[in-house]
């Protein structure tokens, strides 16, 4: 793949590493190197990525069936099967979705591949999710989503890339404050709680040598992101176990997942 203008192919990016784990081809050697280093130490990370993608689809489908017709998807990632608007519009053709990512490659593919139904609407903005004011005030966001009505805020596997000093809890709150009551937060996050210690030690050893930032957090820390929300059943659980049986039942779980309804 040729790097578009403004992209340094020698710097790994989380969306492209994730794309590699999902079997995609929109990645560079630096991304593949990070992905393979992690896989060599912890092969189950690939299965966790696929479980995480499956959770996204289940959560969006669940919310659409509850009546949610608009979604703000932060840290979209490179398009693959089961994108947010595809799942939502399969249930409700009039659903509206805004995708946000800071990787130009993601946005290039999104604009080319993610087409809406005639009844709905899909928009894509290239922005940094760590700047909620810029995202929420973007004209394409305001033209697509009605913030007086409930919205599904999708933060799947994004907060683990935000360091503690950047205040991930404050970031969630900034977005949540903009949502109407009855909105939902869909969230998954890297954790070391659910895997055996020898496996987590191998993961930490592998990632300590990598340039790409990832912060695993405990279930207690992740639960705080749902302040102001009521967790829906089954609560905060392994990503593979939210409203389904695991795709890979014998694989160690590396992600917590939950969905909460804003009070």
């Amino acid at each position: 793949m040729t790097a578009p203008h403004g992209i340094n192919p020698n710097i790994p990016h989380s969306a492209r590493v994730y794309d590699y784990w999902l079997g995609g081809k929109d990645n560079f050697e630096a991304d593949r190197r990070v992905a393979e280093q992690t896989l060599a130490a912890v092969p189950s990370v690939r299965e966790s990525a696929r479980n995480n993608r499956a959770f996204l689809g289940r959560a969006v489908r669940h919310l659409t069936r509850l009546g949610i017709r608009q979604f703000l998807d932060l840290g979209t990632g490179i398009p693959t099967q089961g994108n947010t608007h595809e799942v939502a519009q399969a249930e409700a053709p009039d659903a509206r979705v805004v995708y946000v990512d800071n990787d130009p490659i993601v946005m290039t593919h999104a604009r080319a591949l993610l087409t809406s139904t005639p009844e709905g609407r899909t928009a894509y903005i290239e922005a940094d999710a760590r700047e909620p004011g810029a995202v929420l005030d973007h004209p394409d966001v305001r033209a697509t989503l009605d913030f007086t009505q409930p919205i599904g805020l999708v933060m799947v596997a994004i907060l683990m890339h935000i360091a503690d000093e950047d205040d991930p809890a404050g970031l969630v709150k900034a977005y949540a404050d903009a949502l109407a009551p009855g909105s939902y937060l869909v969230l998954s996050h890297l954790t070391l709680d659910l895997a055996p210690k020898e496996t987590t030690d191998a993961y930490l050893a592998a990632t300590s040598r990598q340039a790409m930032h990832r912060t695993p957090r405990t279930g207690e820390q992740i639960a705080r992101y749902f302040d102001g929300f009521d967790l829906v059943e089954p609560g905060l659980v392994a990503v593979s176990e939210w409203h389904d049986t695991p795709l890979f039942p014998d694989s160690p779980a590396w992600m917590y997942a939950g969905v909460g309804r804003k009070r």
Side-chain angles (χ1 to χ4, degrees):
M1 183 176 70
T2 302
H5 179 71
I7 289 291
N8 185 343
N10 298 314
I11 298 176
H13 189 283
S14 58
R16 300 192 298 267
V17 171
Y18 190 58
D19 173 72
Y20 180 83
W21 285 337
L22 291 176
K25 299 179 180 179
D26 296 305
N27 43 74
F28 300 113
E29 178 58 32
D31 307 308
R32 294 189 286 273
R33 186 164 54 247
V34 166
E36 286 293 345
Q37 286 171 352
T38 308
L39 284 171
V42 189
S44 59
V45 165
R46 173 176 279 152
E47 295 173 349
S48 184
R50 294 177 180 178
N51 278 332
N52 185 63
R53 186 71 185 183
F55 160 70
L56 169 66
R58 295 198 302 275
V60 170
R61 187 176 301 109
H62 181 75
L63 295 192
T64 308
R65 290 175 179 175
L66 289 177
I68 299 299
R69 293 295 179 267
Q70 43 184 4
F71 295 85
L72 177 59
D73 189 336
L74 303 176
T76 301
I78 293 170
T80 184
Q81 291 184 341
N83 300 290
T84 297
H85 79 284
E86 292 171 329
V87 176
Q89 291 178 350
E91 296 288 332
D94 60 338
R96 303 186 302 281
V97 179
V98 175
Y99 292 105
V100 181
D101 206 286
N102 66 349
D103 185 347
I105 289 178
V106 170
M107 289 296 96
T108 297
H109 285 281
R111 293 185 180 104
L113 298 175
L114 304 184
T115 56
S116 175
T117 57
E119 303 94 327
R121 182 167 179 178
T122 306
Y124 326 90
I125 68 167
E126 187 177 326
D128 192 329
R130 292 172 297 183
E131 300 176 359
V135 171
L136 293 168
D137 292 337
H138 194 285
D140 290 347
V141 173
R142 291 291 166 176
T144 306
L145 304 179
D146 177 1
F147 282 83
T148 69
Q149 299 299 315
I151 291 173
L153 175 63
V154 179
M155 303 186 79
V156 168
I158 180 175
L159 293 175
M160 63 198 218
H161 298 292
I162 297 175
D164 290 338
E165 53 265 31
D166 289 329
D167 189 16
L171 183 67
V172 177
K173 185 177 187 305
Y175 284 104
D177 285 349
L179 303 179
S183 294
Y184 287 85
L185 171 62
V186 177
L187 187 149
S188 65
H189 197 296
L190 176 67
T191 187
L192 303 183
D193 288 3
L194 304 173
K197 185 177 186 305
E198 61 271 19
T199 307
T200 61
D201 288 346
Y203 174 85
L204 290 171
T207 57
S208 68
R209 300 187 295 270
Q210 298 171 1
M212 195 176 73
H213 176 85
R214 280 167 282 183
T215 300
R217 295 185 171 97
T218 66
E220 182 179 358
Q221 291 172 309
I222 296 165
R224 293 182 192 138
Y225 299 141
F226 288 95
D227 285 352
F229 293 83
D230 294 318
L231 279 166
V232 303
E233 292 294 334
L236 188 66
V237 296
V239 70
S240 56
E241 297 175 359
W242 195 89
H243 276 230
D244 206 350
T245 54
L247 293 177
F248 305 99
D250 298 324
S251 176
W254 291 96
M255 306 281 284
Y256 273 121
V259 174
R261 186 179 189 274
K262 184 177 178 180
R263 301 184 193 110

